[in-house]
Amino acid sequence: MVLWLKLLFGPTGTVILSALVVLSCFINLPSIILNDSDLPYLSPPLPKCDIFRGEWVPDPDAPQYTNETCSYIQDHQNCIYYGRPDLEFLKWRWKPDGCDLPRFDPHKFLRVVGNKTIAFVGDSLARNHMQSLLCLLSKVATPKDVSVTGKTDPNKILHYEGYNFTIYIFWTPFLVRAEEVAGKPGVFRLYLDEPDDKWVSVASRLDYVLLSGANWFTRETFFYERGQLVGGMYVPLNFTSKLNNRYSHRMAFRTSLRALDRMGFRGKVILRTLSPMSHFEGGPYNDGGDCRRTRPYYANETKAMEGVELDFYTSQLEEFREAKAKGLDMVLMDPTAAMLMRPDGHPSRYGHWPDEKRVLYNDCIHWCLPGPVDAWNDMLLHMLSD
């Protein structure tokens, strides 16, 4: 048997196989059955790499843009402009375990998304993500603002004419219908069984919907279902309710995903898991908390998620699995572990001038641009190309 295999797969194999084919036209040859054990050198295909588990490694070539080359950076994330003294936080890239995640290629991205539309649906971190994408693309193309709303409206439509590619950004921090309570700034009514029509009404025209959200669910909120008040978070109620923001967060994603499923959405849903809310050190955000670290954590230094952060993350995974099992075309974008390692990547106090006389807390939620959030678009391109 060993001799036969050496002849068959050795240098003379082509001649022998050709002869067998010709002979088989005239005579009946016994079948040749090869078991896996007969071919120990034929290994199975390698499993796909998990691009969301890995480490941050030094990258002397980063960043791909600066505040001088990109005009889409919002002041609050413009850390270089506002004088952040340490710039080593820019010199890292995300490296998955067991494989490589290519650097974002704007030419490839625009080829992949040509004649398509993508919507970033969520809060200011969705906008942070979108602005990173605009900066990375700015080396090769500039979009035209075709929004039907005013300049101050956070909902925008940007069109890349040469590629027929359109980006929507929908400001909807709760994903579902929400109203700010009159006379009570920062207090909201959430209608947990009603998706926000702002984005759902145009979803049928979209190829990709990138859903995200977490931070705003820690605010003062009343919960409504079927038009009735059923609970709340950090607000007075005249009845007893066990519902909290874990419930409202879960229901917002469930309602949004079910709305897409009911309408027969034919595009792809990308659910992005939460960005860390736990990088404040020395106190909470409103009592001196800050994020002044200057390098990433290693994976073995990262503190495990807990509390509301873990609960929000878990509910996103569970709602993703449920919606996908029901047939919705979905992929999970899970940068949470990577971003837990980047307490050094936030604006902190460098989203405004130090001597400005206005009340601004240290920002340990959003991400400097350029900065670690650019890795989200490395991941996004990989997922859209896969």
Side-chain angles (χ1 to χ4, degrees):
M1 183 61 179
V2 172
L3 178 60
W4 172 246
L5 287 174
K6 285 183 177 179
L7 289 171
L8 187 58
F9 294 102
T12 60
T14 303
V15 176
I16 294 173
L17 286 171
S18 299
L20 288 174
V21 171
V22 173
L23 286 171
S24 67
C25 296
F26 303 100
I27 61 174
N28 292 324
L29 291 176
S31 300
I32 301 173
I33 301 176
L34 301 178
N35 297 320
D36 291 342
S37 58
D38 294 323
L39 300 173
Y41 48 86
L42 294 181
S43 58
L46 294 173
K48 285 189 176 182
C49 178
D50 182 358
I51 64 168
F52 305 119
R53 299 294 176 266
E55 295 272 9
W56 292 92
V57 298
D59 182 9
D61 296 327
Q64 292 182 258
Y65 63 91
T66 70
N67 60 304
E68 294 182 350
T69 63
C70 179
S71 61
Y72 300 107
I73 302 175
Q74 192 171 357
D75 275 356
H76 296 328
Q77 285 90 57
N78 203 342
C79 306
I80 300 175
Y81 177 78
Y82 282 107
R84 178 165 174 170
D86 64 299
L87 298 182
E88 289 305 308
F89 77 96
L90 298 173
K91 299 296 183 179
W92 300 84
R93 69 179 180 90
W94 177 245
K95 173 69 171 66
D97 294 332
C99 65
D100 192 40
L101 181 63
R103 190 188 306 275
F104 184 88
D105 180 342
H107 295 283
K108 180 178 179 181
F109 184 89
L110 288 169
R111 287 197 302 270
V112 169
V113 298
N115 301 312
K116 292 183 171 63
T117 58
I118 186 170
F120 291 82
V121 179
D123 57 19
S124 53
L125 281 161
R127 184 174 62 235
N128 205 176
H129 183 186
M130 184 268 293
Q131 289 168 339
S132 164
L133 177 61
L134 295 179
C135 286
L136 289 165
L137 293 175
S138 66
K139 294 196 296 184
V140 300
T142 301
K144 181 180 180 181
D145 189 340
V146 294
S147 308
V148 295
T149 55
K151 289 185 177 181
T152 59
D153 194 309
N155 303 287
K156 298 291 182 185
I157 307 173
L158 303 172
H159 183 65
Y160 288 82
E161 292 181 330
Y163 304 87
N164 193 27
F165 169 53
T166 304
I167 296 176
Y168 289 75
I169 177 69
F170 291 105
W171 170 255
T172 174
F174 297 107
L175 302 179
V176 294
R177 184 164 78 89
E179 298 172 347
E180 194 164 17
V181 177
K184 295 183 178 181
V187 182
F188 295 87
R189 297 188 184 95
L190 306 186
Y191 298 87
L192 297 176
D193 52 356
E194 300 179 39
D196 189 347
D197 191 61
K198 187 189 307 168
W199 68 271
V200 171
S201 62
V202 301
S204 61
R205 304 202 298 265
L206 303 172
D207 295 290
Y208 304 106
V209 173
L210 206 162
L211 285 176
S212 60
N215 297 46
W216 280 64
F217 291 87
T218 62
R219 299 188 176 219
E220 297 171 87
T221 45
F222 293 95
F223 307 154
Y224 288 80
E225 290 179 338
R226 297 188 180 91
Q228 301 295 315
L229 181 64
V230 295
M233 191 71 188
Y234 306 129
V235 291
L237 299 171
N238 58 8
F239 59 91
T240 301
S241 172
K242 294 183 179 180
L243 303 181
N244 57 24
N245 56 2
R246 277 77 162 173
Y247 178 79
S248 61
H249 181 258
R250 178 184 293 276
M251 290 306 299
F253 275 89
R254 181 175 298 177
T255 296
S256 299
L257 294 172
R258 287 182 177 179
L260 290 168
D261 187 41
R262 281 196 302 270
M263 73 170 60
F265 179 64
R266 295 187 177 185
K268 185 180 292 291
V269 182
I270 305 166
L271 192 157
R272 178 181 61 74
T273 58
L274 65 82
S275 182
M277 303 181 288
S278 57
H279 282 161
F280 290 94
E281 295 183 271
Y285 81 95
N286 58 352
D287 190 20
D290 204 351
C291 40
R292 303 297 299 276
R293 294 183 181 268
T294 58
R295 71 159 181 85
Y297 288 134
Y298 295 111
N300 60 5
E301 296 177 309
T302 308
K303 182 181 177 182
M305 282 191 296
E306 58 187 11
V308 67
E309 193 173 58
L310 177 61
D311 292 339
F312 282 2
Y313 177 75
T314 302
S315 68
Q316 286 177 322
L317 297 185
E318 291 173 351
E319 294 304 316
F320 165 80
R321 294 186 189 114
E322 180 181 329
K324 189 173 178 67
K326 289 182 178 179
L328 199 59
D329 186 1
M330 294 192 67
V331 290
L332 186 73
M333 183 177 176
D334 185 7
T336 302
M339 305 315 282
L340 281 168
M341 301 180 203
R342 294 309 306 268
D344 59 318
H346 300 289
S348 178
R349 66 192 63 186
Y350 298 106
H352 55 91
W353 294 120
D355 59 347
E356 282 186 308
K357 295 181 180 179
R358 48 181 172 155
V359 178
L360 286 174
Y361 301 118
N362 296 319
D363 186 353
C364 303
I365 296 294
H366 301 94
W367 302 98
C368 293
L369 291 175
V373 71
D374 294 324
W376 294 6
N377 289 307
D378 297 341
M379 296 172 181
L380 180 62
L381 175 54
H382 176 87
M383 295 170 70
L384 298 184
S385 304
D386 193 10

